[in-house]
Amino acid sequence: MNKAKRKAVIAGNWKMNKTAAESAALIDALIPAVQGAGCDVVICTPFTSLVTAVEKCAGTNIGVGAENVHFEKSGAYTGEISADMLVDLGVKYVIVGHSERRQYFAETDETVNKRTKAALAAGLTVIVCVGESLTQREQGVTEELVRLQTKIALGGVSAGEMARVIIAYEPVWAIGTGRTATAEQAQEVCAAIRKVVGELYGADVAEATTIQYGGSMNAGNADELLQKPDVDGGLIGGASLKPADFAAIVAAAGK
Ligand code: 13P
């Protein structure tokens, strides 16, 4: 596999953190910290910070993303946000299928697929999250499960659209726990995901698809994880709220 064929992408997932004013201050610190990065840099903020983030990041190397999107274009879906609404703001990326949404907000593989297709149709780049729980890992079904999640998420997505799909492997047991997957575990599953993408779209698309690892990635462990041949970047939670830590991860990905 040739890592040069794909973009390294480090994306921050801010989750439900930061008011708009706090976001502005964080972005002011992030801009100089990641200037000249050797990889793509993205911050995914709460909906309420997107306007601020797009304004602040204009003309910088930081792309802005949302953390979720609804699959319908418009209508009676109180509290939801459509892909067109995000595009209209200047948002370029969206996270879909994060395990916290699967766990707390009844997200299913089917709705992940619907959101992925709607976001792609609107022109967004989609970060599709997949990953197993601790029980599933202990049952030895990680690879089967992640294959299935990936296949269902990508149902109806064309080979051309795959240029705007990033897949994030996030083992649920590693998220926010300080318990990172070993570099070997991350590599094993990211390689399995690339294999499925290859089965669906062929080797060229598989080699060009960015596959991230996420789950307690930090300044101390990023280097080892990102050196693995199939780990092309990271989806960063806690450490993305700390400019120096996020910058160190970005620097590791740019090597
Ligand atoms: P942490 O980096 O805080 O473990 O979160 C990872 C994550 O869920 C990113 O989407």
Side-chain angles (χ1 to χ4, degrees), residues 13 15 98 100 170 174-176 215-217 235-238:
N13 173 10
K15 308 193 179 184
H98 191 279
E100 287 150 16
E170 297 209 313
I175 294 175
S216 299
M217 196 190 261
L235 186 55
I236 321 298

Side-chain angles (χ1 to χ4, degrees), residues 34-180:
V34 302
Q35 214 169 24
C39 66
D40 286 5
V41 181
V42 179
I43 54 170
C44 298
T45 79
F47 290 129
T48 46
S49 292
L50 287 172
V51 170
T52 304
V54 168
E55 265 173 33
K56 286 256 172 209
C57 294
T60 75
N61 61 327
I62 304 178
V64 175
E67 300 174 13
N68 187 28
V69 64
H70 197 261
F71 41 82
E72 294 294 346
K73 278 189 89 64
S74 63
Y77 301 100
T78 302
E80 293 299 315
I81 302 286
S82 74
D84 288 342
M85 292 172 183
L86 297 176
V87 170
D88 177 59
L89 291 186
V91 170
K92 303 281 188 229
Y93 296 82
V94 66
I95 298 171
V96 162
H98 191 279
S99 62
E100 287 150 16
R101 295 217 59 86
R102 295 179 191 253
Q103 189 177 350
Y104 305 126
F105 303 101
E107 190 81 73
T108 65
D109 289 330
E110 285 71 25
T111 55
V112 170
N113 174 242
K114 284 169 130 182
R115 289 178 213 277
T116 300
K117 285 191 292 191
L120 288 170
L124 293 165
T125 293
V126 185
I127 302 176
V128 180
C129 301
V130 295
E132 82 289 2
S133 67
L134 186 57
T135 313
Q136 289 162 338
R137 175 160 284 269
E138 285 169 355
Q139 286 173 332
V141 300
T142 297
E143 193 169 322
E144 277 171 78
L145 183 95
V146 168
R147 280 180 62 87
L148 203 64
Q149 288 176 331
T150 305
K151 275 191 169 179
I152 298 174
L154 298 179
V157 173
S158 71
E161 286 174 323
M162 284 301 291
R164 286 185 288 114
V165 172
I166 294 167
I167 300 172
Y169 167 54
E170 297 209 313
V172 178
W173 47 271
I175 294 175
T177 57
R179 185 178 164 187
T180 320

